[in-house]
């Protein structure tokens, strides 16, 4: 098995745009779809229409709520036909940019089929000890649909429509690690990681907002929503070895942890991959 840190960034940025066509709303390019999926969408001409090699929403759908309802109806048909998996009943915004007003809301399960940018929050929970920094690591439950049994951050979750980043952080912190609000609010924003990854479902252009949270030595996280089997506190040496030498971590968590190792000085400029890592975390 190949080793090293950079391979994880390369994996998360592996894609061939020749296999995708543009998806537009109000003349805004908001996503990318596969040609076969385009054909399925065009079977609903009241909602989707051809635009060059791509597809756009009908201009008759000129209000966000109207678009949301129309696209949602199509998604129900596509689920029934087995084209996309069951819906998650969690809505993401389809936006031209972070902070822009959503053009419509779309169920989380459909987002990669449309190649729409999704946002999320990841929290590095760490403890300072006499022998150095230790990182809390979650072992994902085996029944998870994504990365079952792999290692994860202390707290991580997608960014749903209708919540601020802070509100979402508080929600995920309580559900995933039983962090009380006063402690979770001490999490410090330290940047964002971006990548564009091709998957079987489609294209996954993601933005992860990263937070560092220094925790008291006596705090023990406890999962409350069933996503995590257990938590372990690892020294950075063990964390780094796990990332560099195994594929035991959830694909995008590798990137978050590499960023942590760089920012906290464990992974420095003398490492041969250093510059490529710094560049690759933000595409």
């Amino acid at each position: 098995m190949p080793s090293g840190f950079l391979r994880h960034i390369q994996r998360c940025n592996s894609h061939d745009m020749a296999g995708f066509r543009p998806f537009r709303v109000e003349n805004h390019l908001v996503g990318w779809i596969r040609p076969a999926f385009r054909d399925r969408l065009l079977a609903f001409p009241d909602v989707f229409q051809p635009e060059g090699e791509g597809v756009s929403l009908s201009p008759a759908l000129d209000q966000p709520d109207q678009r949301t309802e129309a696209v949602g109806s199509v998604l129900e048909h596509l689920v029934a036909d087995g084209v996309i998996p069951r819906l998650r009943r969690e809505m993401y915004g389809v936006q031209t940019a972070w902070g822009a007003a959503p053009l419509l809301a779309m169920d989380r399960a459909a987002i990669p089929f449309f190649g729409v940018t999704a946002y999320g929050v990841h929290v590095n929970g760490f403890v300072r000890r006499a022998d150095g920094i230790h990182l809390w690591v979650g072992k994902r439950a085996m029944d998870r649909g994504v990365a079952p049994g792999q290692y994860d951050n202390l707290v991580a979750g997608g960014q749903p429509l209708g919540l601020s980043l802070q509100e979402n952080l508080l929600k995920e912190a309580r559900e995933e690690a039983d962090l009380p609000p006063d402690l979770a609010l001490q999490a410090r924003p330290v940047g964002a990681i971006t990548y564009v990854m091709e998957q079987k479902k489609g294209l996954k252009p993601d933005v992860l907002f990263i937070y560092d949270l220094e925790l008291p030595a006596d705090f023990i996280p406890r999962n409350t929503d069933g996503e995590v089997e257990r938590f372990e506190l690892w020294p950075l040496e063990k964390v780094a070895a796990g990332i560099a030498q195994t594929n035991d971590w959830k694909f995008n968590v590798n990137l978050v942890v590499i960023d942590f190792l760089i920012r906290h000085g464990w992974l420095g400029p003398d490492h041969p991959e250093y510059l490529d890592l710094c560049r690759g975390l933000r595409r």
Side-chain angles (χ1 to χ4, degrees), residues 25-88:
V25 180
E26 273 189 355
N27 295 318
H28 299 293
L29 177 60
V30 294
W32 295 90
I33 60 175
R34 296 191 190 278
F37 191 64
R38 174 185 185 270
D39 294 341
R40 299 303 295 253
L41 296 180
L42 293 179
F44 303 90
D46 292 340
V47 182
F48 295 97
Q49 63 179 27
E51 184 170 326
E53 293 187 338
V55 69
S56 65
L57 282 187
S58 168
L61 303 170
D62 58 3
Q63 298 298 319
D65 289 347
Q66 189 184 20
R67 296 178 189 128
T68 298
E69 183 178 357
V71 171
S73 177
V74 171
L75 295 182
E76 296 284 359
H77 286 287
L78 295 178
V79 170
D81 292 342
V83 178
I84 64 176
R86 66 177 179 84
L87 301 181
R88 301 280 293 273

Side-chain angles (χ1 to χ4, degrees), residues 89-100:
R89 308 302 175 187
E90 182 179 9
M91 305 301 282
Y92 280 13
V94 178
Q95 305 160 258
T96 57
W98 175 247

Side-chain angles (χ1 to χ4, degrees), residues 103-196:
L103 298 169
L104 72 149
M106 185 181 292
D107 192 279
R108 177 177 183 170
I111 290 293
F113 290 88
F114 286 84
V116 170
T117 298
Y119 300 87
V121 296
H122 281 244
V123 180
N124 298 295
F126 69 99
V127 177
R128 295 187 192 273
R129 290 184 167 180
D131 58 345
I133 292 176
H134 289 58
L135 193 70
W136 279 108
V137 174
K139 176 83 166 176
R140 294 172 62 83
M142 291 302 297
D143 64 354
R144 296 297 89 190
V146 177
Q150 292 198 298
Y151 294 117
D152 206 337
N153 288 119
L154 175 71
V155 174
Q159 181 63 30
L161 190 63
L163 292 181
S164 68
L165 282 171
Q166 185 178 90
E167 289 168 339
N168 191 34
L169 188 153
L170 289 172
K171 177 181 77 71
E172 295 289 343
R174 175 62 79 182
E175 292 174 353
E176 297 198 353
D178 201 20
L179 279 162
D182 60 337
L183 186 54
L185 286 173
Q186 296 177 31
R188 183 169 59 92
V190 291
I193 288 170
T194 61
Y195 61 89
V196 180

